[in-house]
Amino acid sequence: MSKKEIVVSGIRPTGKLHLGNYFGAVVNFLKLQETHDCYFFIADYHSLTTHPDSVNLKQSIRHIMAEYLALGLDPTKCALYIQSDLPETAELYLLLNMFAYKGELERVSTFKEKVKTQPNNINAGLLTYPALMAADILIHQADLVPVGKDQEQHLEMTRDFAQRFNHTYQNEVLPLPQAFSFGDELVKVPGLTAQGKMSKSNSEKDAIYFTDEPKILRKKIMSAVTDSGPTEPNSKPSEGVQNIFELMRLVSNADVIEKFKKAHADCTIRYGDLKGQLADDVEQFVAPFREKIDYYYNNPEILNKVALSGQTKAKASARKTLDLVRGAAGLGL
Ligand code: ADP
Ligand code: TRP
């Protein structure tokens, strides 16, 4: 029997999960766990770049673990672990840093963005973020990395670091992983405030969270950015309106979307109705998950057990890679 392909992906515990995380990453995790050798983790080291409060961080880690389980990740089918429970990652990060050049790290778009948004905290961890992400992936010798479109550049760098390592030590220890999505392309879910991708780093009103209460959810969606309405037949929807259609594509029926598209084309659309429909359909989609998230979050024994079994599985795979990598680099006696 041929060996199963290896899959790795992680999400930073910087807040709760939103629809962008779900449709960009988690839907792929759910499918891949059925067929592949999967490692999914919570990237807590990564979140330290912004110096989060330690109590909040711990809560966030537990919350994402509860969400992973509630959304359908099954610890009997995949390794579900916490990044800092696998310090082998930190050792590989150190080795990969020797292959990560300052100039290219400074050109990474997520880094440049942070230089703008947090000019008082441009630390080395932020600069070398792509090397840590590469270590997460390469520590399991992954083939596929299910992520949203925003992570494409990091994946390219992972391949560059791996290739340089292999070339320098003249071996093929580290396979070159590919970003992966079941659709034709990597996904970018827009937010509600027309600031690009849905993100917890945008304003409070931008992201739709699984744990948003129905009232909050409706309020957020009803105040999504639109425009003053089409005045010319068949005109192109503005960015905000286009985003609402894109969100509907994820949660609404095709005939409902078609009806609103026609109404936009003949200028009879009422954005209140459009947003009301999206609010109903999102509520229907997230409601079943809310209770499950609550259940897992309030059952620390389950969370602890899952994290421990995930750590054990991940450690076995990480030790194997580190032995090869250390051997290739000539470390030790
Ligand atoms: P955020 O940008 O809200 O902080 P993360 O960076 O923690 O989210 O993303 C975790 C995973 O979710 C990554 O695989 C990322 O590509 C994916 N993701 C995040 N936001 C989106 C989005 N709006 N559309 C598609 N995928 C997304
Ligand atoms: N950088 C990713 C993000 O911001 C999170 C992440 C860290 C990750 N390590 C990873 C994703 C390894 C995939 C594989 O969303």
Side-chain angles (χ1 to χ4, degrees):
M1 204 180 78
S2 69
K3 190 172 148 280
K4 280 187 190 174
E5 279 187 312
I6 299 172
V7 172
V8 172
S9 195
I11 294 184
R12 287 173 306 144
T14 44
K16 299 175 172 177
L17 292 190
H18 53 67
L19 293 189
N21 300 134
Y22 184 79
F23 290 103
V26 179
V27 263
N28 289 307
F29 299 2
L30 295 174
K31 286 197 206 164
L32 288 163
Q33 70 175 347
E34 304 297 334
T35 45
H36 287 63
D37 191 3
C38 293
Y39 298 86
F40 299 125
F41 64 95
I42 299 172
D44 58 349
Y45 282 149
H46 268 113
S47 65
L48 296 180
T49 54
T50 51
H51 306 160
D53 171 87
S54 57
V55 175
N56 288 346
L57 176 61
K58 194 158 298 291
Q59 266 177 5
S60 225
I61 295 169
R62 303 190 79 80
H63 202 268
I64 301 238
M65 187 57 109
E67 292 186 299
Y68 270 169
L69 294 171
L71 294 175
L73 287 186
D74 179 345
T76 65
K77 294 181 179 162
C78 61
L80 266 184
Y81 67 97
I82 310 208
Q83 185 185 33
S84 64
D85 280 344
L86 196 67
E88 286 79 0
T89 306
E91 184 175 343
L92 184 56
Y93 164 58
L94 183 152
L95 300 179
L96 293 175
N97 268 327
M98 313 304 166
F99 297 96
Y101 296 105
K102 177 172 164 280
E104 65 183 346
L105 293 169
E106 283 171 344
R107 284 192 300 274
V108 173
S109 45
T110 45
F111 178 74
K112 289 200 293 198
E113 186 59 33
K114 284 286 192 299
V115 170
K116 271 195 233 149
T117 56
Q118 53 175 66
N120 297 324
N121 183 21
I122 309 301
N123 57 60
L126 201 59
L127 183 69
T128 58
Y129 185 109
L132 180 55
M133 177 156 164
D136 292 325
I137 296 167
L138 300 173
I139 196 77
H140 300 300
Q141 301 179 59
D143 302 293
L144 304 177
V145 185
V147 280
K149 189 155 179 55
D150 57 309
Q151 298 299 312
E152 225 169 6
Q153 192 180 21
H154 290 155
L155 251 293
E156 233 169 78
M157 298 185 76
T158 300
R159 285 192 291 276
D160 288 343
F161 302 152
Q163 210 153 21
R164 290 172 197 160
F165 181 95
N166 290 344
H167 180 74
T168 302
Y169 298 117
Q170 290 169 18
N171 63 56
E172 297 298 319
V173 173
L174 302 174
L176 309 185
Q178 299 294 332
F180 178 82
S181 169
F182 274 98
D184 293 339
E185 292 174 2
L186 299 186
V187 172
K188 175 178 153 192
V189 177
L192 294 170
T193 57
Q195 300 177 74
K197 75 155 196 152
M198 178 178 290
S199 172
K200 38 194 182 260
S201 333
N202 292 341
S203 81
E204 260 301 292
K205 289 181 178 165
D206 189 62
I208 302 172
Y209 296 99
F210 281 91
T211 47
D212 279 341
E213 286 303 323
K215 257 197 188 150
I216 305 262
L217 212 153
R218 181 162 294 273
K219 207 168 141 199
K220 259 189 206 175
I221 295 177
M222 294 312 286
S223 57
V225 172
T226 50
D227 54 44
S228 51
T231 47
E232 298 264 321
N234 301 314
S235 54
K236 192 169 170 274
S238 61
E239 187 187 347
V241 175
Q242 185 57 37
N243 288 350
I244 297 195
F245 280 123
E246 275 183 45
L247 289 167
M248 282 180 113
R249 216 158 44 85
L250 303 171
V251 293
S252 306
N253 288 331
D255 47 341
V256 171
I257 303 176
E258 211 32 55
K259 188 185 85 183
F260 281 105
K261 284 213 157 146
K262 262 179 86 186
H264 189 275
D266 63 22
C267 305
T268 57
I269 193 162
R270 290 205 313 226
Y271 290 146
D273 295 347
L274 178 75
K275 294 196 255 187
Q277 180 74 47
L278 177 63
D280 290 346
D281 295 341
V282 168
E283 170 58 22
Q284 252 208 344
F285 178 73
V286 301
F289 296 118
R290 259 195 221 108
E291 254 176 59
K292 286 193 195 162
I293 294 171
D294 214 43
Y295 167 78
Y296 286 115
Y297 186 68
N298 291 307
N299 270 288
E301 325 76 64
I302 301 183
L303 300 183
N304 292 341
K305 215 171 115 192
V306 169
L308 187 63
S309 104
Q311 180 191 30
T312 308
K313 281 193 221 169
K315 217 170 191 61
S317 141
R319 289 290 354 149
K320 242 184 355 201
T321 307
L322 261 193
D323 284 349
L324 291 172
V325 164
R326 291 174 62 109
L331 292 170
L333 245 191

